[in-house]
Amino acid sequence: MLTYTPPESRALEKTHEKPWLLLLLVFAWLWPGVFSHDLWNPAEPQVYAAVAHFLDGGRAWVPEVLGAPYFKVSPVYVWAAAGFQTALSPWAADAYSASRFATVLFTALGLAACGMAGYRFLGRHQGRSVVLILIGCAGMVANGHFLSGISVEFAALGLCLYGFSLAQTRVIMASLLLGSGWALLSLSAGWPVAAALMLMALTLPVSPLWRVKRYYITLIGALAVALPLISAYPFALYHTDAAALTQWRQQYLWGIFGGSTTFQTAFSLPYYLKNLLWFAFPAWPLAIWTASRLKLWQERWGVLALAWLLFIGLLLAASPGRYQNHLLWLLPPLALLGAARLDGLRRGAAAFINWFGIMAFGLLAAFLWLGFFAMNYGWPAKLAERSAYFSPYYTPDINIMPMVVALSFTPVWLWAITRKHIKGRQAVTNWAAGTTLVWALMMTLFLPWLDAAKSYRPVVAQMAAALPDDIRNGGHCINIDADAHAARLAWAQYSPLDLNTGHNCRYRLVQTPLHSTAPQGWQTVWQGARPRNKTEGFALWKKAS
């Protein structure tokens, strides 16, 4: 007798995919760059100073750097970094590495949320594809590993996307995710970004696909969660530090547009479109492919992605500040669009992405291995010469553990790219594996070389070696200008000297353009700068007798 089995009751088709391999790849991608290096510019010294101040008894709601409120990092990130440093340092990791665990936490949370959103919107395989596309994007690499509050923004965006995917099925969970995502976004990226996504949520019912009762209930619940949480920050500032609240209102109230006294706009669309080409590759070509194959306005996720790109795109286009990291706000919808039709990618297009990734990452990996031999063994000589030019403070440093890690990544990547019958998902997997390989090689083979070029420690050590005997013996103090932020942060981290911000010392440490001369009445004792930095230098001056 013929019987009918409803589609939702049929057994799922067997698959040869191994989800644990995705987890292994993401795990391998997350950790290189977290350990064994100093604080690198531009954000790490300031963020770490805020974490250190909080651990020394600073206020929970007002991160401080050099005695002044620092609103460029979310308090949530400072709390998490301080917690990891307290729990893990020094027995499991140094203080810098332990603090970077906060970035790993928020990045992993964002990836998991975006992956679950892809699963809910597109199906069981596409959620993995969303994650693979994200970790394959160049813009995610540095933002997902260093001390920076941008990882909190990514986590908040992931929560929002996941909340939207549940809005018509699990109302309570969706309300909590959306509300907490908006609140976290307002505390990390500024409330205009959160307001843009909230306004987008209110306009989604323009499409009949979102004009359902459950979505309206979700909206009400999400606003009920978000609005009290968003208002908690200025309320806490009001009751803990009225002066900080005034500064926040005057300079940071409008987020990327400034504050009440510094508000401004500009036309930045060309800048962001130009940088999106590398920042969001391969997400944007795959998103264009999906748009060419489907009528996006006929899909619930398509309407959401288009609205997201429109609202955030308008916000970026009017932004007066031009920061590449802000393009991270566009990655979740682009990855969602890119994953939607990945299985339908033509074999020729998939082969091209795979071939291009193999050639690009293979050549980069070969160059990194060659560069490693050049900077440590002097061969090839020309490459060794260029290596010394860009990082002159580096001394050959070969550690067995980084070598083991680098040697283990290379054959795994070679195994991945030799698979046959490459389709869209396999091509994206190989791309993500190539990104992971190159990043891992850079953060193992090249880590000491990069650290010598990007850290302030060698510069501080140079000045320490040049100090006159009267300073070594404690006979004289060193004055430093209060607005020399980079110098104050660097010497606070890497020097035991107690620098004085007064004006009564015989010696003076200044942050000045490179090769500048001392003013009348002063003599230059020492000058230095990080390698190839033509705009920022440091000098120690001595008052003429």
Side-chain angles (χ1 to χ4, degrees):
M1 183 177 68
L2 295 176
T3 59
Y4 170 73
T5 303
E8 61 273 13
S9 302
R10 297 172 186 168
L12 295 175
E13 181 184 354
K14 290 185 178 181
T15 176
H16 298 289
E17 295 185 2
K18 300 176 179 62
W20 62 270
L21 285 176
L22 170 64
L23 295 176
L24 185 61
L25 178 59
V26 173
F27 184 83
W29 178 88
L30 276 172
W31 292 108
V34 173
F35 298 97
S36 305
H37 67 84
D38 289 332
L39 303 174
W40 292 355
N41 260 6
E44 286 204 318
Q46 290 90 339
V47 175
Y48 183 80
V51 174
H53 181 268
F54 175 68
L55 287 173
D56 287 340
R59 292 164 296 177
W61 289 99
V62 186
E64 289 188 30
V65 175
L66 300 177
Y70 185 72
F71 296 107
K72 294 182 180 180
V73 63
S74 170
V76 176
Y77 185 89
V78 174
W79 302 339
F84 278 115
Q85 187 179 144
T86 302
L88 301 176
S89 177
W91 68 273
D94 61 82
Y96 302 155
S97 303
S99 298
R100 294 188 190 100
F101 274 55
T103 299
V104 175
L105 170 67
F106 289 113
T107 302
L109 177 61
L111 290 173
C114 289
M116 290 303 299
Y119 168 74
R120 290 288 179 176
F121 272 131
L122 306 172
R124 58 178 178 142
H125 298 306
Q126 281 75 5
R128 306 170 201 168
S129 300
V130 171
V131 176
L132 289 169
I133 291 171
L134 285 171
I135 67 174
C137 289
M140 277 293 300
V141 175
N143 291 318
H145 297 89
F146 298 147
L147 273 173
S148 170
I150 194 73
S151 59
V152 182
E153 301 175 23
F154 178 65
L157 294 169
L159 293 177
C160 291
L161 190 65
Y162 190 17
F164 280 118
S165 70
L166 296 175
Q168 297 185 18
T169 55
R170 300 175 62 184
V171 171
I172 296 178
M173 187 66 175
S175 299
L176 292 174
L177 287 169
L178 270 177
S180 58
W182 290 337
L184 191 58
L185 199 58
S186 71
L187 198 57
S188 54
W191 76 263
V193 183
L197 290 186
M198 294 168 73
L199 182 60
M200 178 202 73
L202 294 174
T203 60
L204 283 179
V206 171
S207 168
L209 298 172
W210 288 88
R211 204 179 302 151
V212 296
K213 181 179 179 180
R214 281 178 173 266
Y215 179 66
Y216 292 131
I217 298 174
T218 298
L219 269 184
I220 295 172
L223 291 172
V225 172
L227 293 179
L229 292 177
I230 292 175
S231 61
Y233 181 66
F235 183 79
L237 285 183
Y238 175 77
H239 283 278
T240 57
D241 192 335
L245 175 62
T246 301
Q247 182 178 350
W248 175 77
R249 186 181 68 249
Q250 292 178 348
Q251 300 181 16
Y252 299 97
L253 175 64
W254 303 104
I256 58 177
F257 300 104
S260 58
T261 60
T262 60
F263 181 85
Q264 57 181 327
T265 61
F267 184 67
S268 302
L269 184 61
Y271 170 84
Y272 284 110
L273 287 178
K274 177 183 67 176
N275 284 281
L276 190 69
L277 296 178
W278 67 266
F279 192 97
F281 192 90
W284 67 263
L286 294 173
I288 291 176
W289 163 257
T290 298
S292 69
R293 306 300 295 177
L294 295 174
K295 296 179 180 179
L296 296 180
W297 57 90
Q298 295 180 353
E299 301 286 348
R300 192 162 58 93
W301 50 266
V303 173
L304 172 67
L306 288 176
W308 187 313
L309 293 173
L310 174 63
F311 277 83
I312 298 299
L314 290 175
L315 200 68
L316 292 176
S319 169
R322 299 180 176 182
Y323 302 105
Q324 297 171 354
N325 290 344
H326 290 167
L327 288 168
L328 195 74
W329 304 340
L330 299 175
L331 283 188
L334 285 175
L336 183 67
L337 289 175
R341 290 290 294 170
L342 197 57
D343 289 336
L345 193 65
R346 291 175 180 170
R347 188 175 296 273
F352 173 77
I353 293 176
N354 188 56
W355 172 84
F356 183 72
I358 290 173
M359 293 299 296
F361 295 122
L363 289 174
L364 280 173
F367 175 78
L368 290 173
W369 275 108
L370 193 62
F372 171 78
F373 284 102
M375 66 189 184
N376 288 291
Y377 299 104
W379 180 89
K382 189 64 177 179
L383 193 56
E385 179 184 336
R386 300 307 295 171
S387 170
Y389 172 79
F390 285 107
S391 187
Y393 304 146
Y394 172 74
T395 56
D397 182 12
I398 302 175
N399 193 305
I400 187 63
M401 278 306 298
M403 286 290 294
V404 170
V405 174
L407 287 170
S408 64
F409 270 89
T410 305
V412 171
W413 176 75
L414 290 173
W415 168 80
I417 65 174
T418 54
R419 294 177 300 170
K420 299 180 180 180
H421 309 298
I422 296 297
K423 296 182 180 179
R425 195 178 307 131
Q426 289 79 16
V428 169
T429 303
N430 287 351
W431 184 278
T435 303
T436 304
L437 169 69
V438 170
W439 178 246
L441 292 181
M442 286 183 62
M443 293 296 108
T444 51
L445 301 180
F446 270 64
L447 186 61
W449 183 88
L450 289 169
D451 205 26
K454 297 177 71 66
S455 171
Y456 285 106
R457 188 187 296 271
V459 182
V460 176
Q462 275 190 346
M463 194 193 83
L467 286 177
D469 291 336
D470 52 357
I471 295 182
R472 294 178 188 274
N473 299 329
H476 291 281
C477 64
I478 301 178
N479 173 56
I480 188 170
D481 293 337
D483 58 353
H485 294 162
R488 292 177 64 190
L489 289 170
W491 265 261
Q493 286 298 320
Y494 308 122
S495 172
L497 294 175
D498 186 13
L499 302 181
N500 192 329
T501 54
H503 298 277
N504 57 349
C505 297
R506 186 179 181 185
Y507 290 89
R508 183 180 176 190
L509 177 63
V510 295
Q511 184 176 325
T512 180
L514 202 59
H515 303 307
S516 60
T517 58
Q520 187 175 4
W522 293 84
Q523 299 173 349
T524 300
V525 177
W526 166 86
Q527 274 191 323
R530 287 183 304 144
R532 313 280 71 83
N533 192 322
K534 299 180 180 179
T535 60
E536 178 190 78
F538 306 97
L540 181 65
W541 294 342
K542 178 182 179 181
K543 187 178 295 184
S545 301

